[in-house]
Amino acid sequence: MENKTYAGIEEEYSKLDSAKIVLIPVPYDGTSTWQKGADKGPEAFLNASENMELYDIETGTEVYLQGVYLADAVTENSSPEAMVDAVHKATKKYIKRNKFVTAFGGEHSISIGTIRAFNECFDNLTVVQLDAHADLRKEYHGSKCNHACALYEASQNTNLIQVGIRSMDVLETTVMDTEKTYFAHEMAVDDTWMDSAIHQMTENVFITIDLDAFDPSIMPSTGTPEPGGLLWYETLEFLKQIFTEKNVVGFDIVELCPNKNEKSSDFLAAKLYYKMLSYKFQNEGVDDEYDNSFDNSHVNKNNNSKFNEEDEY
Ligand SMILES: [Mn+2]
């Protein structure tokens, strides 16, 4: 990837030591079943980000001043399992350095690694998934790390809330918690879904956005577009409410499948990412010290701690 800094920001805002935010690109597309191309997502997203205004009108902030470190891309692709391990490791490394960690895919299976890391580092984690597809298969095409399985693990060990769902296999109904699932056809006729979903969240929230959650009219460049998706302002309203009321500990955005003749999707992804950072840091001064609320005492106190296996960071 040619991009040296995120959004072309000056070097002083892009250094790991001082940056509060870390962005991990994961250009992985090993298991997609229909249209390939999500491996080109991070580059298209970064290129679009370089052509974006860095002042956010709504919050009146320039969030890049908080510092954004563009990490080395995770390029491990020898197997879906090895990719997930590499993403898990990179994510955890930066969480432990007290950063606000974000990732950009790549297909949705990368989120198995990010969510696993956040779930190990934060108590009572809620995962909010915006997605057209349930992604709850336990195994698909011989792997537990297929994109169709992206949220199975989270369904078993986190408080998973699924939003925008409009496509799934009948077998997934046996895994799905319908009390915490907001189907697109119901959201279309019910304006209480946002409050209801937020009410079900614990304090620590990780957000995973599969861009196919959006309606294909505004987000056509994704591997498996589905009609009847989320629109821009309702999505921002929902996200803003989560960032305001909860402790969002990190997020990832996946499944941008760029098309050289259709650039608006790349810009939507770029703007969405920047908006989420703007909401996260809107009340934080540039000189305030960031505390990602990860408690290092977990690591040192207890020798049986789940952090011991790979503390070499
Ligand atoms: Mn998905």
Side-chain angles (χ1 to χ4, degrees):
M1 251 171 272
E2 306 162 29
N3 314 74
K4 287 195 187 81
T5 64
Y6 164 70
I9 60 177
E10 293 150 48
E11 248 185 77
E12 62 171 306
Y13 303 114
S14 67
K15 295 195 168 78
L16 176 60
D17 277 344
S18 49
K20 297 178 188 174
I21 300 151
V22 168
L23 165 59
I24 308 171
V26 190
Y28 178 77
D29 189 358
T31 73
S32 66
T33 29
W34 191 39
Q35 292 187 81
K36 290 271 179 194
D39 54 331
K40 305 281 188 297
E43 196 181 355
F45 157 75
L46 287 168
N47 288 339
S49 300
E50 288 193 5
N51 292 289
M52 174 183 71
E53 296 283 9
L54 297 177
Y55 171 67
D56 179 65
I57 298 170
E58 191 183 2
T59 57
T61 62
E62 296 172 285
V63 67
Y64 76 94
L65 298 173
Q66 308 277 354
V68 184
Y69 174 70
L70 180 59
D72 288 343
V74 174
T75 53
E76 170 65 60
N77 67 356
S78 56
S79 71
E81 290 73 18
M83 177 279 296
V84 164
D85 282 347
V87 172
H88 170 247
K89 217 169 167 182
T91 305
K92 206 159 159 181
K93 174 170 99 174
Y94 294 117
I95 293 173
K96 286 183 176 180
R97 286 194 66 159
N98 190 33
K99 304 298 181 185
F100 183 73
V101 184
T102 63
F104 197 95
E107 56 166 67
H108 211 164
S109 49
I110 75 151
S111 302
I112 301 172
T114 54
I115 295 170
R116 195 179 286 167
F118 279 95
N119 194 35
E120 286 169 356
C121 295
F122 296 95
D123 291 332
N124 298 324
L125 189 69
T126 288
V127 173
V128 178
Q129 171 198 7
L130 272 65
D131 202 326
H133 309 90
D135 292 347
L136 289 175
R137 286 172 165 94
K138 191 174 181 178
E139 202 179 301
Y140 196 61
H141 291 181
S143 173
K144 289 187 165 66
C145 295
N146 188 282
H147 67 102
C149 317
L151 275 297
Y152 177 78
E153 187 173 303
S155 76
Q156 301 302 296
N157 61 17
T158 74
N159 179 43
L160 175 64
I161 297 173
Q162 304 189 284
V163 174
I165 308 301
R166 51 198 187 277
S167 178
M168 63 189 285
D169 185 81
V170 65
L171 276 175
E172 295 177 272
T173 58
T174 61
V175 174
M176 178 175 270
D177 182 348
T178 52
E179 293 287 304
K180 294 181 189 166
T181 305
Y182 295 85
F183 291 108
H185 72 280
E186 292 171 351
M187 292 160 65
V189 293
D190 169 17
D191 54 18
T192 65
W193 69 267
M194 282 186 206
D195 290 334
S196 169
I198 286 170
H199 189 69
Q200 291 175 319
M201 295 175 197
T202 55
E203 183 58 20
N204 291 332
V205 174
F206 178 82
I207 303 172
T208 180
I209 299 186
D210 186 325
L211 289 166
D212 65 27
F214 286 99
D215 193 78
S217 61
I218 61 167
M219 183 63 225
S221 297
T222 188
T224 40
E226 292 274 348
L230 287 158
L231 296 175
W232 182 242
Y233 284 110
E234 62 179 337
T235 307
L236 290 187
E237 188 186 337
F238 181 52
L239 293 171
K240 189 176 182 177
Q241 215 170 320
I242 303 173
F243 278 97
T244 306
E245 294 180 29
K246 302 291 172 185
N247 177 40
V248 177
V249 295
F251 65 84
D252 62 25
I253 299 176
V254 300
E255 299 283 358
L256 176 63
C257 182
N259 170 347
K260 62 176 170 30
N261 299 315
E262 194 285 297
K263 296 287 186 193
S264 70
S265 296
D266 306 358
F267 278 89
L268 185 151
K271 193 107 186 189
L272 177 68
Y273 179 82
Y274 201 70
K275 271 283 176 195
M276 291 174 79
L277 294 185
S278 302
Y279 292 151
K280 172 68 187 174
F281 289 93
Q282 62 175 322
N283 298 315
E284 182 128 1
V286 169
D287 296 324
D288 293 350
E289 218 162 287
Y290 180 62
D291 175 8
N292 77 2
S293 84
F294 163 63
D295 181 3
N296 255 305
S297 61
H298 283 291
V299 184
N300 304 323
K301 232 178 0 200
N302 180 353
N303 274 345
N304 298 320
S305 143
K306 52 193 169 187
F307 296 108
N308 282 342
E309 330 100 65
E310 39 185 6
D311 273 338
E312 75 270 20
Y313 300 115

